[in-house]
Amino acid sequence: MNCAEFEVLLHALIDGELDAGHARELEAHTATCSACAEKLASFRTMREAMSGAALKETAPAHLRTRIETALAVPRSRVISMRDFFKPTRRSFFGGFAVGSALSAAVAASLVLTVIRNNQEQTIADEVVSAHVRSLQAGHLMDVATSDQHTVKPWFNGRVDVAPPVVDLTAESFTLLGGRLDYIDSEPVAAIVYQRRKHVINLFVAQHLGARRAHTASESIQGYNIRHWSQDGLDLWVVSDLAGEELDEFVQKIASALRRPSGAS
Amino acid sequence: MANDAVAEQEKMRRFRDAALPHLDDVYTLARYLMRNPTDAEDAVQECYLRALRHFDSYRGPAMKPWLLAILRNVCNAEFARRGKEEVPTDFAQDEAVAEDMPMWQEPQASPEKLILRQQDSATIRQLVAELPEPFRETIVLREVNDLSYQEIAEIAGVPVGTVMSRLARARAMLRSAWNAAETATSRPATASRVMQ
């Protein structure tokens, strides 16, 4: 090890990038060369001073807003600004992405709405996927029983909510059982009902998309979807059952939730 | 069509989750490369849009070095667009000058024994900002963005050995400037110490 080699390798040493063998060689060199030992000490001091100093910048809030806004706009608009989409709120938004600071601030208040809607969309898609998955043989139930007093406690410790499990046999919705599922990477309670040959999955979690007091209806890949929020729970219902019959099911669940005594 | 839209939104969400946490790192490098806040902000925004465009083909490395590599390309493209007007950002020329410099430049006015003292953050930032490229970006990637030699090598498109020699030069230059700043700010004290 000569002094020229030492001058380059000492940096790898203080950066922790040097293998043990070379590190020992460097130490041996400092024992015999006081000039190099001093350099090493001096660079160490400087490195420590630098790591203690606030050298990192914080991105200004308006830049963060600008980027979040740009990322909330459909990709093709951001990049080409071509008129792919008919004028919607989102394309109206596209104009904001390149606007002034003032309009960026306005956009920031709108961006939440758009992101939330996007999240809802994502969850609707995942709910359908989970439903389809559940229909494959052996995937429908973790606990298979028509006894609500068995299904409800089964979820204890598996999800962080006590899902409503109600007996709707009188209304000809048969309780089949319950299952732990995952939506948006979160564990959710899935309660399974059946009317005639149609399976209904009721997904319940604390946060599953936008909070909405009124039931939202939607249809993806031929499956009917309903979702709403009640008592701090987000509920999603999906089935191939006809829309009106699914609405009936939603009503029963919602009214059972309003009467906790009736639910148990 | 509806599924495409859903997939697009899902991608956007994954991209935001993966890329936005590194905004401060990206902005920091942009500040040191572009040297003014407005240009830095434009570069950061362009970086994120480009990253989103290439997110489909992203398979690693880690997100932070990937974003920083894109940012570096954005900045270099901007400098290329501006032409050679801005001498300080002409990498090739800076490097040629720097190659001629001795690896170890003894501080002229201060004795070797002068111990580096704590400089305040603003002064250190200024000293780093005054380094010529490619030494500035190398030391920022190492000391501020906290990347490994291998990651810096991949970003700069040079062998690890080059990263090591650039870092050695960067720190040598920085140390000289540091000592000079020290001497300038505490001249009376230093002078009396030297005379003793």
Side-chain angles (χ1 to χ4, degrees):
Chain A
M1 171 83 44
N2 61 40
C3 293
E5 286 171 335
F6 184 90
E7 267 186 42
V8 175
L9 289 180
L10 78 88
H11 296 282
L13 181 70
I14 63 178
D15 285 327
E17 296 256 358
L18 210 56
D19 61 81
H22 279 97
R24 271 196 299 278
E25 278 185 47
L26 255 69
E27 273 164 35
H29 181 77
T30 56
T32 60
C33 177
S34 63
C36 282
E38 249 171 64
K39 274 175 200 170
L40 178 62
S42 152
F43 278 119
R44 273 216 166 105
T45 310
M46 185 172 85
R47 173 123 213 282
E48 278 158 22
M50 285 184 80
S51 53
L55 299 185
K56 199 158 161 176
E57 306 273 347
T58 304
H62 66 261
L63 175 64
R64 193 173 286 270
T65 306
R66 227 168 96 184
I67 287 168
E68 282 176 357
T69 306
L71 294 184
V73 179
R75 187 172 57 146
S76 45
R77 281 206 78 84
V78 171
I79 286 147
S80 65
M81 291 294 172
R82 269 177 292 169
D83 222 346
F84 265 128
F85 297 82
K86 56 181 184 288
T88 60
R89 184 167 65 186
R90 265 192 230 129
S91 57
F92 163 62
F93 217 179
F96 276 127
V98 289
S100 65
L102 178 66
S103 56
V106 176
S109 62
L110 280 177
V111 78
L112 281 174
T113 333
V114 171
I115 289 170
R116 254 196 229 144
N117 287 343
N118 293 348
Q119 194 202 358
E120 238 177 336
Q121 191 59 53
T122 306
I123 288 172
D125 205 46
E126 286 198 28
V127 161
V128 170
S129 299
H131 178 73
V132 172
R133 220 165 38 232
S134 78
L135 300 180
Q136 290 164 8
H139 287 91
L140 192 55
M141 268 107 43
D142 289 333
V143 50
T145 169
S146 59
D147 177 12
Q148 52 174 321
H149 302 295
T150 306
V151 174
K152 195 176 168 92
W154 182 85
F155 285 107
N156 285 344
R158 290 187 166 88
V159 291
D160 55 4
V161 297
V165 182
V166 292
D167 188 355
L168 298 174
T169 316
E171 281 83 11
S172 70
F173 292 105
T174 316
L175 177 65
L176 292 185
R179 174 180 87 251
L180 184 66
D181 214 317
Y182 287 87
I183 306 277
D184 203 24
S185 313
E186 297 293 332
V188 301
I191 301 136
V192 191
Y193 291 87
Q194 188 174 33
R195 174 174 261 190
R196 298 187 306 278
K197 294 283 181 197
H198 305 283
V199 171
I200 305 166
N201 266 296
L202 166 65
F203 297 98
V204 186
Q206 230 173 337
H207 301 289
L208 269 184
R211 294 260 142 185
R212 44 173 78 247
H214 301 291
T215 308
S217 305
E218 176 166 12
S219 163
I220 296 180
Q221 295 167 18
Y223 292 103
N224 286 314
I225 303 168
R226 302 288 182 268
H227 75 106
W228 75 101
S229 301
Q230 194 174 354
D231 288 350
L233 297 174
D234 282 357
L235 301 99
W236 289 74
V237 168
V238 56
S239 176
D240 60 345
L241 198 64
E244 308 82 64
E245 285 181 275
L246 200 58
D247 286 333
E248 185 191 335
F249 176 77
V250 168
Q251 262 179 13
K252 302 291 179 203
I253 297 286
S255 59
L257 261 177
R258 277 194 294 273
R259 292 178 286 105
S261 54
S264 57
Chain B
M1 190 61 203
N3 280 335
D4 284 356
V6 169
E8 188 75 359
Q9 302 298 356
E10 169 62 16
K11 189 184 97 175
M12 202 80 97
R13 191 181 62 83
R14 280 190 296 115
F15 178 74
R16 275 197 303 266
D17 290 352
L20 281 180
H22 302 296
L23 184 58
D24 287 345
D25 269 294
V26 175
Y27 178 69
T28 297
L29 182 61
R31 279 297 297 271
Y32 282 106
L33 295 185
M34 301 306 291
R35 298 185 171 188
N36 83 65
T38 315
D39 289 347
E41 286 175 25
D42 289 345
V44 170
Q45 179 164 6
E46 176 60 22
C47 165
Y48 272 85
L49 293 181
R50 271 196 210 183
L52 175 62
R53 232 176 298 166
H54 296 290
F55 191 51
D56 282 332
S57 54
Y58 167 74
R59 298 284 178 277
M63 182 50 72
K64 184 163 80 172
W66 186 66
L67 286 171
L68 295 178
I70 294 174
L71 178 84
R72 186 178 175 277
N73 288 339
V74 168
C75 294
N76 285 349
E78 176 60 17
F79 289 137
R81 194 186 65 75
R82 291 180 192 179
K84 293 189 191 295
E85 299 152 38
E86 293 188 40
V87 177
T89 54
D90 190 332
F91 287 17
Q93 188 184 333
D94 280 343
E95 184 144 35
V97 170
E99 295 295 342
D100 292 337
M101 289 172 50
M103 170 77 85
W104 179 257
Q105 208 176 21
E106 293 297 337
Q108 303 285 307
S110 51
E112 178 64 24
K113 278 203 162 61
L114 182 67
I115 299 300
L116 293 162
R117 274 192 247 151
Q118 289 282 334
Q119 293 280 4
D120 61 281
S121 298
T123 308
I124 299 175
R125 239 188 268 189
Q126 183 62 30
L127 294 175
V128 171
E130 282 168 1
L131 290 174
E133 290 294 7
F135 308 104
R136 196 187 336 140
E137 68 168 16
T138 309
I139 203 156
V140 171
L141 287 169
R142 176 68 203 105
E143 301 281 22
V144 189
N145 295 124
D146 204 27
L147 297 190
S148 71
Y149 286 7
Q150 185 60 45
E151 287 170 326
I152 299 170
E154 279 163 23
I155 288 176
V158 295
V160 171
T162 307
V163 172
M164 285 173 69
S165 63
R166 282 180 184 176
L167 196 57
R169 278 164 203 264
R171 285 198 179 127
M173 283 187 259
L174 190 60
R175 186 174 175 280
S176 298
W178 195 306
N179 273 337
E182 184 73 22
T183 311
T185 53
S186 59
R187 192 175 293 280
T190 309
S192 63
R193 193 150 25 115
V194 169
M195 277 188 290
Q196 280 169 5

